[in-house]
């Protein structure tokens, strides 16, 4: 089952999607579906026991990554 949604995006994103659609031959809707799956499927990924440590400084961190960090504060 599919659902219709309507999203307003800036002209630059629309132009980018239109270009990617022309290059790939895929409809813009399919590109958006794939982007959603790629960005938000991390909750479905299997987890393993163990520890993870990371250290870094980013001037402009990716919002999707920041949002997935446990206990992160925006």
């Amino acid at each position: 089952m599919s659902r219709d949604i309507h999203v307003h995006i800036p002209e630059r994103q629309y132009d980018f999607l239109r270009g990617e659609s022309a290059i790939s031959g895929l409809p813009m809707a399919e590109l958006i579906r794939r982007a959603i799956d790629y960005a938000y499927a991390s909750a479905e990924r299997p987890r393993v026991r163990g520890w993870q440590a990371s250290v870094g400084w980013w001037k402009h961190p990716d919002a999707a990554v920041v949002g997935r960090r446990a206990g992160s504060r925006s």
Side-chain angles (χ1 to χ4, degrees), residues 39 61-70 72:
D62 183 76
V65 173
V66 171
R68 286 194 297 261
R69 297 284 183 211
S72 68

Side-chain angles (χ1 to χ4, degrees), residues 3-27:
R3 301 279 183 181
D4 288 339
I5 64 168
H6 300 274
V7 179
H8 294 269
I9 59 174
E11 191 72 26
R12 67 176 178 75
Q13 288 180 326
Y14 178 80
D15 292 340
F16 178 79
L17 277 173
R18 188 176 51 199
E20 288 297 311
S21 177
I23 291 168
S24 68
L26 295 170

Side-chain angles (χ1 to χ4, degrees), residues 9-62:
I9 59 174
E11 191 72 26
R12 67 176 178 75
Q13 288 180 326
Y14 178 80
D15 292 340
F16 178 79
L17 277 173
R18 188 176 51 199
E20 288 297 311
S21 177
I23 291 168
S24 68
L26 295 170
M28 287 194 285
E30 178 61 23
L31 294 173
I32 293 168
R33 285 190 291 269
R34 289 181 182 193
I36 291 170
D37 287 343
Y38 179 77
Y40 298 107
S42 65
E44 299 171 16
R45 293 184 188 144
R47 302 289 182 179
V48 295
R49 293 178 53 100
W51 291 89
Q52 173 186 352
S54 61
V55 176
W57 287 266
W58 293 269
K59 185 172 183 179
H60 301 288
D62 183 76

